[in-house]
């Protein structure tokens, strides 16, 4: 400009932290907005594929120790799949109503192994008879253990506990619900590295790189990355098998790498509907029931963390304590069904399926209900279900590496609500995460060396309870964080804000919980009035509730 001075320097960009988000903004379909039916069916099938891993791995590990062969293993997998479908439908229709898959849980493996090693089964010579006796003992223990979650959930006790859960205390609980399962990830991949490693690489390429390289109108590669990558690697593993790559390999290598070593397809019946008490009448032992109740309590805490991660990835508001409590109650009914049908394992929220919500960015409840339909359908048509269940375990472990990481990251995301410059926050966060990793590591190392847990008294039931509880990483971390967060400098005026509790208050979580609790209680009062005093008095009470 003629005669003018130099142009003013551009204003430097103001450095501002990223804004806090109570809901994730980039979710394509939230809980109540289902995708189109063709896409929803494919996504439901993908959820079914992901949950198959745990459904197959747990019976494959337990049934041979119980004395069962391939026939029994196939029937147990069918039963676990059938009950998982029912439990998922119950949870999505009546429980939390979140898009949460309810499936087999590794938490119940330890007490089940304790039942297998019980002295009362050691003298049974016939393997089939031994299997039936152990299965009935497991059923009885699960039936008793289910009452813990049913009572704690439906009575509202868990609601009163989770009312004191702040974002700071939720971070270690949710983070270690995902990161704490690290031993199921790459160690499983490494059992057949030539299959597992390509699965990880292809899954990351399809889900993270291709969508940014190919700009399509609709997301395809990232949304169906599991189907694409599993199909390619499974075909690759099949070609290696028929090509004789493992003909002279060690038996353990053949078991993990070959696609024809599961024994499920030949053992599975064409059509079979699982039914309650199919293995006979359950038997009950007090010590075994106490150990299973400890696992049930641990699963209750772990599932609470996973429910919070599911709500995050489904772009839902923070879950009110009353809803969490109701979900735990229905999960208890799920464990009851496990005991009645005989799955040899209890149920909890599937961590891997929670991670799949993040990968697909689809948090639709309908998709998960469709996946439950696939579970029930393929459990009845045994041969067809067994084909998918025979996917080599290293492929499943590769999926875990991504999905467990997503759930752990959901836990870390709650740090945005906390004051990370507070030394109180740093202490609670660091100490709880460290103890959540360190204490279970001690228990696991001691058990692997000595053959029994650190707690080794004459009361076997007491040993099982303590060893089960302190072998869970999310439980230990969540317990330490919850205790410290609710006792350390609690009356300090800045503490409430530092721990993020004010943010959940602003979202109406605690207030909504109290209102829903009052309305449910008043609802029972209104029903009683209407029966005893007539409709006119009941109508007046309804008006009071509305006001």
């Amino acid at each position: 400009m003629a005669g003018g001075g130099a142009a003013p320097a551009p204003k430097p960009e103001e450095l501002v932290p990223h804004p806090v988000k109570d809901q994730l903004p980039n979710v394509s379909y939230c809980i109540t907005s289902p995708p189109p039916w063709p896409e929803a069916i494919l996504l439901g099938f993908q959820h079914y594929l992901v949950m198959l891993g745990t459904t197959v791995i747990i019976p494959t590990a337990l049934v041979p120790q119980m004395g069962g062969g391939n026939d029994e293993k196939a029937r147990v997998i069918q039963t676990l799949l059938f009950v998982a479908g029912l439990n998922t439908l119950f949870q999505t229709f009546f429980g939390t109503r979140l898009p949460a898959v309810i499936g087999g849980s590794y938490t119940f493996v330890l007490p089940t192994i304790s039942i297998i090693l019980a002295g009362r089964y050691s003298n049974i010579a016939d393997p089939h008879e031994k299997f039936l006796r152990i299965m009935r003992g497991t059923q009885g223990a699960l039936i008793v253990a289910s009452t813990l979650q049913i009572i704690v959930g439906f009575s509202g006790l868990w609601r009163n506990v989770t009312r004191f859960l702040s974002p700071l205390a939720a971070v270690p609980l949710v983070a270690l619900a995902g990161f704490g399962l690290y031993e199921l990830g790459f160690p499983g991949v490494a059992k057949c590295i030539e299959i597992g490693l390509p699965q990880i690489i292809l899954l990351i390429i399809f889900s993270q790189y291709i969508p940014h390289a190919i700009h399509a109108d609709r997301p395809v590669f990232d949304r169906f990355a599991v189907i694409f990558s599993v199909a390619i690697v499974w075909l690759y593993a099949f070609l290696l098998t028929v090509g004789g790559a493992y003909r002279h390999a060690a038996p353990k290598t053949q078991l993990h790498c070959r696609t024809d070593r599961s024994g499920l397809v030949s053992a599975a019946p064409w059509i079979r509907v699982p039914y309650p008490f199919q293995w006979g009448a359950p038997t009950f032992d007090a010590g075994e029931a106490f150990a299973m109740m400890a696992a049930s309590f641990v699963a209750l805490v772990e599932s609470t963390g996973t429910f919070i991660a599911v709500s995050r990835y489904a772009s839902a508001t923070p879950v009110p304590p009353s809803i969490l409590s109701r979900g735990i109650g229905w999960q208890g009914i799920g464990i009851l069904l496990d005991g009645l049908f005989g799955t040899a394992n209890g149920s909890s929220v599937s961590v891997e399926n929670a991670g799949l919500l993040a990968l697909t960015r689809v948090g639709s409840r309908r998709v998960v209900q469709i996946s439950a339909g696939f579970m029930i359908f393929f459990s009845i048509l045994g041969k067809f279900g067994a084909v998918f269940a025979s996917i080599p375990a290293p492929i499943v472990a590769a999926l875990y590496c991504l999905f467990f990481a997503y759930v752990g990251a959901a836990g870390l995301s709650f740090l945005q609500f906390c004051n990370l410059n507070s030394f109180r926050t740093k202490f609670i966060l660091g100490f709880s995460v460290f103890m959540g990793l360190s204490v279970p590591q001690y228990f696991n190392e001691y058990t692997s060396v000595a053959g029994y847990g650190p707690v080794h008294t004459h009361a076997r039931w007491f040993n099982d309870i303590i060893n089960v509880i302190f072998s869970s990483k999310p439980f230990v971390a969540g317990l330490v964080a919850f205790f410290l967060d609710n006792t350390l400098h609690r009356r300090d005026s800045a503490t409430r804000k530092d721990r993020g509790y004010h943010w959940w208050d602003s979202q109406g979580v605690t207030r909504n919980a109290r209102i829903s609790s009052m309305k449910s209680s008043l609802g029972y009062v209104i029903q009683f009035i209407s029966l005893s005093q007539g409709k006119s008095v009941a109508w007046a009470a309804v008006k009071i509730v509305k006001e």
Side-chain angles (χ1 to χ4, degrees):
M1 186 170 59
K11 187 179 179 181
E13 184 181 352
E14 189 177 353
L15 298 176
V16 202
H18 293 289
V20 172
K21 300 280 187 183
D22 65 302
Q23 292 174 274
L24 292 177
N26 297 322
V27 174
S28 300
Y29 298 97
C30 64
I31 295 178
T32 55
S33 60
W37 276 104
E39 189 174 347
I41 291 171
L42 274 177
L43 287 166
F45 180 71
Q46 195 166 237
H47 272 281
Y48 162 73
L49 277 183
V50 167
M51 68 83 58
L52 267 181
T54 304
T55 306
V56 173
I57 289 171
I58 293 176
T60 300
L62 293 178
V63 170
Q65 297 185 56
M66 297 167 70
N70 283 339
D71 290 347
E72 288 81 8
K73 183 172 70 173
R75 289 178 64 188
V76 171
I77 290 172
Q78 276 185 278
T79 305
L80 184 54
L81 196 59
F82 182 80
V83 176
L86 294 179
N87 289 338
T88 301
L89 290 176
F90 288 149
Q91 190 63 239
T92 53
F93 277 112
F94 310 116
T96 58
R97 307 198 73 220
L98 290 167
V101 172
I102 309 297
S105 171
Y106 291 101
T107 305
F108 292 88
V109 170
L110 196 58
T112 304
I113 291 176
S114 178
I115 293 174
I116 292 171
L117 299 176
R120 62 188 182 128
Y121 304 117
S122 58
N123 295 326
I124 304 174
D126 181 21
H128 181 68
E129 179 63 25
K130 183 179 180 180
F131 168 80
L132 291 177
R133 293 275 297 276
I134 293 175
M135 177 61 81
R136 292 167 190 164
T138 307
Q139 286 182 258
L142 285 169
I143 290 171
V144 174
S146 68
T147 59
L148 176 72
Q149 290 196 19
I150 291 173
I151 293 172
V152 170
F154 287 130
S155 69
L157 286 174
W158 196 240
R159 178 188 67 230
N160 294 330
V161 173
T162 51
R163 277 197 308 114
F164 298 99
L165 186 70
S166 71
L168 177 58
V171 170
L173 173 63
V174 181
L176 290 197
F179 294 144
L181 297 168
Y182 59 83
E183 69 271 13
L184 300 174
F186 197 79
V189 171
K191 289 177 179 177
C192 190
I193 196 72
E194 61 267 33
I195 292 176
L197 194 57
Q199 175 62 44
I200 294 179
I201 294 170
L202 281 178
L203 185 60
I204 292 173
I205 290 173
F206 275 117
S207 63
Q208 308 299 325
Y209 287 96
I210 290 183
H212 294 281
I214 302 174
H215 299 285
D217 294 335
R218 297 178 64 85
V220 176
F221 292 103
D222 50 348
R223 192 154 291 173
F224 303 104
V226 171
I227 292 178
F228 287 136
S229 59
V230 167
I232 292 170
V233 177
W234 196 10
L235 176 62
Y236 164 64
F238 174 75
L239 294 176
L240 287 178
T241 301
V242 298
Y246 305 110
R247 191 169 296 147
H248 305 294
K252 188 172 287 189
T253 303
Q254 294 195 33
L255 181 66
H256 291 120
C257 297
R258 292 179 68 102
T259 57
D260 57 357
R261 281 291 185 270
S262 67
L264 295 177
V265 178
S266 58
W270 281 102
I271 297 177
R272 181 179 173 274
V273 180
Y275 55 91
F277 308 119
Q278 57 187 333
W279 313 107
T283 59
F284 298 90
D285 179 85
E288 294 170 0
F290 281 129
M292 201 65 82
M293 286 181 78
S296 178
F297 184 59
V298 170
L300 179 155
V301 175
E302 293 177 351
S303 291
T304 299
T306 313
F307 275 136
I308 294 172
V310 168
S311 70
R312 186 78 182 151
Y313 285 133
S315 195
T317 53
V319 189
S322 57
I323 302 300
L324 282 173
S325 192
R326 189 177 70 198
I328 292 301
W330 276 99
Q331 186 173 279
I333 291 178
I335 298 173
L336 176 63
L337 291 178
D338 289 323
L340 294 176
F341 279 82
T343 62
N345 190 249
S347 295
S348 66
V349 185
S350 170
V351 179
E352 54 269 33
N353 287 88
L356 182 59
L357 296 176
L359 182 77
T360 59
R361 299 185 187 181
V362 175
S364 167
R365 187 190 299 129
R366 180 183 292 174
V367 167
V368 170
Q369 290 167 346
I370 290 171
S371 77
F374 277 115
M375 296 175 210
I376 295 172
F377 177 76
F378 283 117
S379 67
I380 294 173
L381 297 178
K383 292 287 187 189
F384 295 99
V387 171
F388 296 110
S390 62
I391 295 173
I395 294 179
V396 175
L399 299 178
Y400 287 169
C401 290
L402 201 65
F403 297 145
F404 292 164
Y406 263 129
V407 173
L412 297 181
S413 70
F414 288 106
L415 288 173
Q416 66 183 306
F417 307 124
C418 309
N419 179 12
L420 289 176
N421 294 315
S422 163
F423 279 98
R424 177 187 183 275
T425 301
K426 292 180 186 297
F427 166 67
I428 294 174
L429 180 65
F431 184 69
S432 59
V433 170
F434 183 85
M435 295 304 287
L437 293 171
S438 190
V439 172
Q441 181 68 17
Y442 163 70
F443 273 74
N444 294 333
E445 283 186 7
Y446 192 103
T447 304
S448 63
V449 172
Y452 49 82
V455 181
H456 189 61
T457 66
H458 293 295
R460 190 161 156 270
W461 61 270
F462 178 76
N463 303 339
D464 290 339
I465 288 175
I466 303 300
N467 292 327
V468 165
I469 286 176
F470 288 100
S471 295
S472 168
K473 300 175 185 70
F475 180 88
V476 174
L479 178 67
V480 173
F482 185 85
F483 174 79
L484 292 175
D485 189 41
N486 285 284
T487 57
L488 196 61
H489 312 320
R490 191 180 177 189
R491 299 193 181 279
D492 194 332
S493 58
T495 296
R496 187 176 183 85
K497 194 170 183 180
D498 288 348
R499 63 203 287 244
Y501 205 82
H502 70 294
W503 183 263
W504 279 4
D505 262 354
S506 72
Q507 302 303 309
V509 174
T510 52
R511 189 175 67 85
N512 289 341
R514 288 192 291 269
I515 290 173
S516 64
S517 176
M518 288 172 56
K519 284 189 174 181
S520 62
S521 301
L522 286 169
Y524 290 123
V525 174
I526 291 166
Q527 287 181 21
F528 175 76
I529 292 172
S530 65
L531 289 173
S532 58
Q533 301 295 330
K535 297 290 183 183
S536 58
V537 182
W539 179 247
V542 169
K543 290 177 69 177
I544 293 171
V545 173
K546 287 184 176 179
E547 292 171 0

